[in-house]
Amino acid sequence: ETILSRIRSFDYSQKNAVLVPAAALGVGGMLLYWARPRRKMNIIDMGNGWWGSCERPEEWKEDDSIRPFKIETSDKEIEDLHQRLDRFRFTPHVEGAAFHYGFNSSYLKKVVSYWRNQFDWRKQVEELNKYPHFHTTIEGIDIHFIHVKPSYVPHGQTVQPLLMVHGWPGSFYEFYKIIPLLTEPAKHGLNEGDVVFEVICPSIPGYGFSEAPHKKEFDTIAAARIFHKLMSRLGFRKYYLQGGDWGSRITTNMAQMLPQCVKGLHLNIAFLGKPSLRRMISIMLGAYVPWLVGLNREDARRFYPYMQKNVYDVLRESGYLHIQATKPDTAGCGLNDSPVGLAAYILEKFSTWTDKSFLHKDDGGLESKYSLDELLTNVMIYWVTSSIVSSMRFYKENFSTDPDLTAHNRVGVRVPTGIAAFPQEIIHTPHVWIKDVYKNIISYSYMPRGGHFAAFEEPKLLAQDIVEFVRKVEQL
């Protein structure tokens, strides 16, 4: 009664003197809390850049022409390669090591012999030139890309522009098997012609036939901006994006940068960076009650045992990353000088990143998924362009400013998104986690087989998923 009487006797003006400022403070604080992050984190600022070999001239106007480009080779280039292969200094492998120590040197001997005596680079150059190649100058450097249009478009059908971005140690060549499935899907039994694409595949600056940046700090944001400028230069106002590896990061940044230009984003890997407290709890509980934390049976199968699949396996496969994210030029210069070293360094990734069990095979399982001609053509793109060092530097430029690759994740991706989760991918990211960053997931597919190099290894599966995703987006 005493307390109640005191409350009743409390003067109305005194109540106002305390409650009104408190309420105003609370409401104001909430408004500041919600307004500040939205203002700052709604989109990634597009900015601008200059990556040429000298300072940008004050009165400089960029040449925005699209120039046809053709890959060429010469007797001198091939002779130099053969001489270096002839000087291959063999290192005996450890008996029973398979690919546990890296590329098995006995199998490497076979690869080098094939490369020297049977691989026909001139023939592969003809294969590479079967699609139209182009160069254009953006932000001071020459950007290489292929642009493939469908040979036939059904009456009334709209052709959808699709930008596909590769990663490391891949190249634009990864997409050669999937391009005909996307530009002529009906011919390959994917659908009845209701979704048709024209495909644009650029080389990331510093990779293959795209000029390397001459300045520091060229990261995925810079690549995203350049590729938006490329699509604009080609006359596209809205387009679809697809990426894996670095291509996933670049296309995600593109969606965060100019969402109004992106009709849909399709990924075959999604990077979320360091785990949040909620995800840590999910990891601990998911092994026992996965349904309680939003994991289904397939998530649990791909995810556990957690330490083996997400710590030990990742540590084993990521030694290269630490080198390339810190001092890429040291190892890179050696690889740039030795074709055998380059092949071992690159092809080892095409073994265990395709299927983790290939670690136990003497040949790394490489020829069970790819031909030696395909694998060596990808290696040759790095060799003839001397681009291995600049491709490795891309890791340093990104990890130096964002060590755990989480800075951009604060910007939600709100464009329609499709995820193709391949079972042999290096990491598995459950649907429930991906929603933390990708806010508008239209499709999430548990693919039946395949690994990191999806377009190269399982082109039909990936093409089917892209087609189904775009069909759903077009029906929204």
Side-chain angles (χ1 to χ4, degrees), residues 177-178 181 188-190 447 449 454-455 457-466:
K177 289 186 279 189
I178 199 173
L181 307 182
H188 298 276
L190 292 187
M447 309 304 282
R449 61 185 180 277
E457 180 196 351
E458 296 288 351
K460 192 163 187 177
L461 281 180
L462 183 61
Q464 286 173 330
D465 202 69
I466 293 169

Side-chain angles (χ1 to χ4, degrees), residues 148-203:
V148 188
K149 299 179 181 181
S151 59
Y152 168 74
V153 181
H155 179 71
Q157 175 65 55
T158 301
V159 178
Q160 303 294 345
L162 174 66
L163 180 81
M164 305 188 78
V165 185
H166 65 88
W168 187 93
S171 64
F172 66 93
Y173 178 60
E174 284 182 70
F175 302 116
Y176 266 51
K177 289 186 279 189
I178 199 173
I179 285 172
L181 307 182
L182 296 170
T183 56
E184 300 174 311
K187 184 184 289 187
H188 298 276
L190 292 187
N191 61 36
E192 297 181 3
D194 59 327
V195 176
V196 179
F197 299 93
E198 59 179 296
V199 181
I200 301 92
C201 300
S203 295

Side-chain angles (χ1 to χ4, degrees), residues 87-108:
R87 294 195 297 270
F88 168 43
R89 188 165 64 175
F90 174 70
T91 302
H93 74 282
V94 177
E95 292 180 9
F99 261 56
H100 286 271
Y101 283 61
F103 204 105
N104 184 293
S105 56
S106 291
Y107 179 64
L108 182 60

Side-chain angles (χ1 to χ4, degrees), residues 153-444:
V153 181
H155 179 71
Q157 175 65 55
T158 301
V159 178
Q160 303 294 345
L162 174 66
L163 180 81
M164 305 188 78
V165 185
H166 65 88
W168 187 93
S171 64
F172 66 93
Y173 178 60
E174 284 182 70
F175 302 116
Y176 266 51
K177 289 186 279 189
I178 199 173
I179 285 172
L181 307 182
L182 296 170
T183 56
E184 300 174 311
K187 184 184 289 187
H188 298 276
L190 292 187
N191 61 36
E192 297 181 3
D194 59 327
V195 176
V196 179
F197 299 93
E198 59 179 296
V199 181
I200 301 92
C201 300
S203 295
I204 299 171
Y207 288 69
F209 298 99
S210 277
E211 185 178 354
H214 298 270
K215 315 287 186 194
K216 296 190 297 182
E217 300 179 0
F218 184 90
D219 58 8
T220 58
I221 295 293
R225 181 177 63 245
I226 281 177
F227 291 162
H228 268 310
K229 290 181 178 181
L230 170 63
M231 295 302 278
S232 175
R233 192 168 292 184
L234 291 173
F236 300 116
R237 296 180 59 193
K238 293 180 74 68
Y239 32 88
Y240 285 93
L241 305 174
Q242 202 286 325
D245 196 86
W246 279 124
S248 169
R249 177 81 165 178
I250 292 168
T251 54
T252 292
N253 289 163
M254 291 178 74
Q256 294 166 318
M257 185 179 289
L258 290 178
Q260 68 273 21
C261 293
V262 180
K263 296 185 74 174
L265 170 67
H266 187 279
L267 307 174
N268 50 278
I269 189 172
F271 300 104
L272 299 184
K274 63 183 180 182
S276 62
L277 177 60
R278 184 176 66 82
R279 268 189 272 150
M280 290 298 292
I281 295 171
S282 176
I283 289 167
M284 291 186 288
L285 295 179
Y288 307 100
V289 282
W291 51 269
L292 189 63
V293 291
L295 303 180
N296 61 32
R297 185 175 297 176
E298 185 61 21
D299 285 323
R301 190 181 71 80
R302 297 186 183 192
F303 206 59
Y304 297 101
Y306 179 81
M307 291 300 292
Q308 179 63 51
K309 293 186 176 181
N310 299 277
V311 179
Y312 301 140
D313 287 354
V314 171
L315 283 173
R316 185 191 65 232
E317 296 299 328
S318 59
Y320 81 99
L321 189 150
H322 188 75
I323 292 171
Q324 295 177 194
T326 52
K327 297 183 178 180
D329 286 30
T330 304
C333 289
L335 299 176
N336 192 50
D337 190 58
S338 168
V340 178
L342 180 68
Y345 196 71
I346 288 177
L347 296 187
E348 183 248 309
K349 305 307 178 193
F350 281 87
S351 169
T352 46
W353 290 7
T354 295
D355 191 316
K356 299 175 185 70
S357 70
F358 288 173
L359 192 72
H360 309 298
K361 295 179 177 288
D362 289 340
D363 63 356
L366 284 168
E367 293 178 74
S368 64
K369 290 289 187 175
Y370 318 101
S371 71
L372 284 180
D373 280 343
E374 291 171 344
L375 293 168
L376 289 172
T377 295
N378 184 65
V379 172
M380 284 295 289
I381 290 170
Y382 282 87
W383 177 254
V384 300
T385 59
S386 295
S387 59
I388 187 62
V389 179
S390 51
S391 74
M392 292 164 71
R393 286 175 185 156
F394 199 50
Y395 284 76
K396 182 170 179 63
E397 305 298 9
N398 282 283
F399 282 93
S400 292
T401 55
D402 187 11
D404 51 16
L405 297 182
T406 58
H408 305 158
N409 290 349
R410 288 175 287 171
V411 183
V413 178
R414 290 178 169 78
V415 304
T417 302
I419 306 291
F422 286 84
Q424 290 296 328
E425 184 55 89
I426 302 167
I427 56 170
H428 174 67
T429 310
H431 185 185
V432 68
W433 292 5
I434 288 180
K435 291 190 294 184
D436 290 347
V437 176
Y438 299 88
K439 310 293 186 181
N440 188 10
I441 297 177
I442 303 299
S443 66
Y444 184 103

